Amino acid sequence: MNEQELQRLVEDISQAVFDKPFRHRASFNRRLKTTGGRYHLGSHDLDFNPLVLELHGAEEMEKVVKHELCHYHLHLEGRGYLHRDADFRKLLKESGGSRFVKDLRQTGTIVPPKWLYSCSACGQLYPRKRRIDLKKYVCGKCKGKLRLKSQITTR
Ligand SMILES: [Zn+2]
Ligand SMILES: [Zn+2]
């Protein structure tokens, strides 16, 4: 899904579920770590974490869009737009928005270091995910020569 498609999705859901237009910008933001989306009070724009779609699929993405649209519409109408507000809770329930975003930590996709190098002069250790060119890299502390100490086998 690209940003244009995201914009369309938010506009469509806004019209279909809230019966009101979404007149601002929706964009993806990879810097959102554990939040699924964010509503900007100043610009009224929405940010979405692309991991929601990548890890949990389109259905979960729609729920997050609904959640952010609850903030959006309530805030623009001067109603209670915070999580604790009764207006927000009611609208969230009616629209079917997500209450909590699903886990967005990418456990299992993180590649552990596989190669262990050490400095032949000072002994500093350098765990690395990939093999490194020993002719090109030297110790960051003392500029000594690096050598392959072992191959880490964890799986
Ligand atoms: Zn929220
Ligand atoms: Zn060294």
Side-chain angles (χ1 to χ4, degrees), residues 37 39 67-68 71 81 83 88 99:
Y39 168 59
H67 177 114
E68 297 310 322
H71 286 302
Y81 64 91
H83 290 161
F88 182 86
R99 289 184 60 209

Side-chain angles (χ1 to χ4, degrees), residues 29-85:
N29 183 353
R30 243 175 220 286
R31 279 168 304 170
L32 297 176
K33 291 295 175 205
T34 52
T35 39
R38 195 167 52 178
Y39 168 59
H40 295 266
L41 294 171
S43 64
H44 309 296
D45 292 337
L46 297 179
D47 268 8
F48 292 96
N49 190 336
L51 286 178
V52 174
L53 196 60
E54 288 162 18
L55 297 177
H56 300 299
E59 202 178 318
E60 190 61 26
M61 184 69 200
E62 284 183 20
K63 287 183 185 173
V64 173
V65 169
K66 288 172 186 171
H67 177 114
E68 297 310 322
L69 281 172
C70 286
H71 286 302
Y72 173 85
H73 288 300
L74 290 169
H75 180 246
L76 286 178
E77 290 161 15
R79 296 163 67 197
Y81 64 91
L82 298 171
H83 290 161
R84 63 166 183 265
D85 291 327

